[in-house]
Amino acid sequence: MAEEKATPKINTAADMAQLRREGRILSSQELEELSTRVTALEEMAKLEDRFKILESRKRPRPITDMEGNQPKRQRQQRIPSTIKPESSESSSSETIHHTNKRRGYTRGIKTTPSYNLKLNSSLEEWGVWMHDMERIFEGDPDPYPKGSQKILKALDYLDPGLKSLWYTYTAKKRIRKWPVFLEWTRENIQGNKRRAAGRIAI
């Protein structure tokens, strides 16, 4: 009686193609084990992609002064010299230049809120809107380093009635703190609910 062939080790698509050419058919158990391995490899690939995204967010940004200008030393490294140095020095200079460009470049993850806040929104809807806004600032933090810039972005996702109340509220005093803005939106929604309940009771 001929011995059965040992279970082949399958790691690539080429291995599967070789089996097909040889006319070899895998058993149900072998197929199930292979399917489990493929599923595990797919999950590992997804986790690897997520790690790459997280690592890209941690790339250091260039140090700037109060006016947003980089220090002279960093700027000089980016300006190519008009005097051609020797080949070894030129290679080193180009390496430093390209490395600094990579460090200074960050690309955020763009997100869009799923809900525009309204004066008659519920507290649950306010919570959804607030978390959507936080996702915008966490996914792409560079354009919104200050509270005033976050407020300007959030105004795009208020309905006209609530936005008009904010403009009236800030006509005499300028508010630049993001937590103050969030608390104001929450209090106005709660106040509107109380007023509506009072009219129903009357």
Side-chain angles (χ1 to χ4, degrees), residues 56-82:
S56 67
R57 294 183 186 176
K58 295 180 181 180
R59 290 178 184 172
R61 288 176 287 178
I63 301 173
T64 57
D65 56 23
M66 295 298 291
E67 296 180 356
N69 299 318
Q70 295 181 5
K72 291 183 178 179
R73 182 176 299 176
Q74 291 189 0
R75 291 203 303 271
Q76 289 173 354
Q77 288 177 345
R78 293 174 180 268
I79 301 174
S81 175
T82 55

Side-chain angles (χ1 to χ4, degrees), residues 12-140:
T12 64
D15 295 336
M16 289 294 295
Q18 181 64 26
L19 284 179
R20 183 168 51 81
R21 286 193 296 270
E22 294 175 356
R24 174 71 186 278
I25 300 176
L26 298 178
S27 66
S28 299
Q29 182 178 354
E30 289 172 333
L31 286 173
E32 184 177 352
E33 291 175 355
L34 183 59
S35 178
T36 302
R37 286 182 58 199
V38 171
T39 301
L41 289 172
E42 288 175 346
E43 291 298 325
M44 290 173 65
K46 290 179 182 179
L47 289 173
E48 182 181 354
D49 291 340
R50 292 178 65 184
F51 273 115
K52 288 179 180 179
I53 293 174
L54 290 174
E55 289 169 0
S56 67
R57 294 183 186 176
K58 295 180 181 180
R59 290 178 184 172
R61 288 176 287 178
I63 301 173
T64 57
D65 56 23
M66 295 298 291
E67 296 180 356
N69 299 318
Q70 295 181 5
K72 291 183 178 179
R73 182 176 299 176
Q74 291 189 0
R75 291 203 303 271
Q76 289 173 354
Q77 288 177 345
R78 293 174 180 268
I79 301 174
S81 175
T82 55
I83 302 175
K84 293 184 178 179
E86 296 180 3
S87 59
S88 60
E89 294 179 359
S90 176
S91 176
S92 175
S93 176
E94 288 178 2
T95 302
I96 294 174
H97 174 71
H98 290 301
T99 301
N100 288 339
K101 284 189 70 176
R102 286 197 297 271
R103 288 179 180 175
Y105 175 73
T106 56
R107 181 174 61 186
I109 301 174
K110 301 297 182 182
T111 58
T112 303
S114 59
Y115 180 77
N116 280 11
L117 192 64
K118 304 175 183 178
L119 191 58
N120 59 351
S121 296
S122 65
L123 288 179
E124 290 78 11
E125 290 169 331
W126 176 86
V128 171
W129 172 84
M130 188 258 304
H131 286 301
D132 281 351
M133 297 308 305
E134 293 292 350
R135 285 178 58 220
I136 290 178
F137 305 141
E138 290 177 4
D140 192 14

